[in-house]
Amino acid sequence: MSRHPNPIPQSAVQPTTTLQGGGQAPTAWVFRAGPQVVLVQGGNLPGRCVKCNLPGHGKPLHKTMYWHDPTWYLLILAGILIYAIVAICIRKKVNLDIALCQQHKKHRMVWITVMTLSLIIGVFLAIVGAVMESAPIGILGGLVFLFGLVAAVVASSGALRPTFIDDRVARLKGASEAFLSSLPDWPYR
């Protein structure tokens, strides 16, 4: 079911540059395709904040992102376990170092804190509700826990989300217009 929206020549898959010692190292091949970042596998994102294009602050976030064709979600109808096994087998991945400026790192830390507190408080309230046999407290605990899960999705995204990954390229959404404007256009249409 894997399809490639933009075929690229095999010679462009692993761009290299010659090192001083004579060895080869991948160069950063990052492009813009409309509202998406296109990263040739083996390339690196620039060390600028993907949310505002300011210089990255401190250590970048190291993320491994996974993707599979959305039509595989239909397997959930056959059972979540069957879907999970197939998804693990067919998914594609990309490893990224995502730079964030000081302000956006703080914003991410706020969401991580909200997530952690919401999950802890939600579990606590659910337990208290069960012990006291109070449905409203239990329901409140469940809602707070659910909010924590939503906060987890926001905090863990690292500002970018994959829309396509294969053995050659990864397409990512979520970068700001300022960041995207700093990238060369994807030459393969």
Side-chain angles (χ1 to χ4, degrees):
M1 284 194 179
S2 180
R3 63 190 188 283
H4 195 278
N6 297 85
I8 58 175
Q10 195 62 29
S11 61
V13 172
Q14 289 294 335
T16 58
T17 184
T18 303
L19 299 174
Q20 259 183 330
Q24 298 284 310
T27 57
W29 277 53
V30 183
F31 301 93
R32 174 192 187 148
Q36 296 182 344
V37 173
V38 178
L39 175 70
V40 174
Q41 288 278 17
N44 300 302
L45 291 173
R48 299 185 312 272
C49 179
V50 296
K51 286 308 211 181
C52 65
N53 206 37
L54 290 175
H57 177 75
K59 186 177 176 183
L61 304 173
H62 181 74
K63 292 283 191 182
T64 300
M65 295 184 178
Y66 299 97
W67 180 89
H68 63 72
D69 191 295
T71 56
W72 287 104
Y73 286 119
L74 292 173
L75 281 178
I76 292 174
L77 299 173
I80 193 76
L81 183 60
I82 292 171
Y83 161 74
I85 291 168
V86 171
I88 288 170
C89 293
I90 58 117
R91 68 186 180 180
K92 299 292 184 178
K93 74 175 185 173
V94 65
N95 293 308
L96 299 171
D97 287 326
I98 302 171
L100 293 174
C101 67
Q102 189 170 9
Q103 175 189 351
H104 286 105
K105 275 196 174 187
K106 284 181 183 177
H107 184 259
R108 182 174 181 271
M109 288 308 297
V110 166
W111 275 105
I112 289 172
T113 303
V114 167
M115 169 203 66
T116 304
L117 291 175
S118 296
L119 294 176
I120 291 169
I121 292 169
V123 169
F124 176 76
L125 288 174
I127 292 171
V128 168
V131 169
M132 294 178 58
E133 297 181 6
S134 171
I137 293 175
I139 291 171
L140 177 63
L143 291 173
V144 171
F145 187 83
L146 184 62
F147 178 77
L149 293 177
V150 171
V153 170
V154 172
S156 70
S157 70
L160 294 177
R161 294 166 307 286
T163 61
F164 178 86
I165 300 174
D166 72 3
D167 295 332
R168 298 174 285 182
V169 298
R171 287 179 166 265
L172 310 161
K173 68 179 180 179
S176 70
E177 181 58 37
F179 183 83
L180 290 168
S181 295
S182 71
L183 301 175
D185 286 330
W186 178 237
Y188 306 103
R189 299 281 173 209

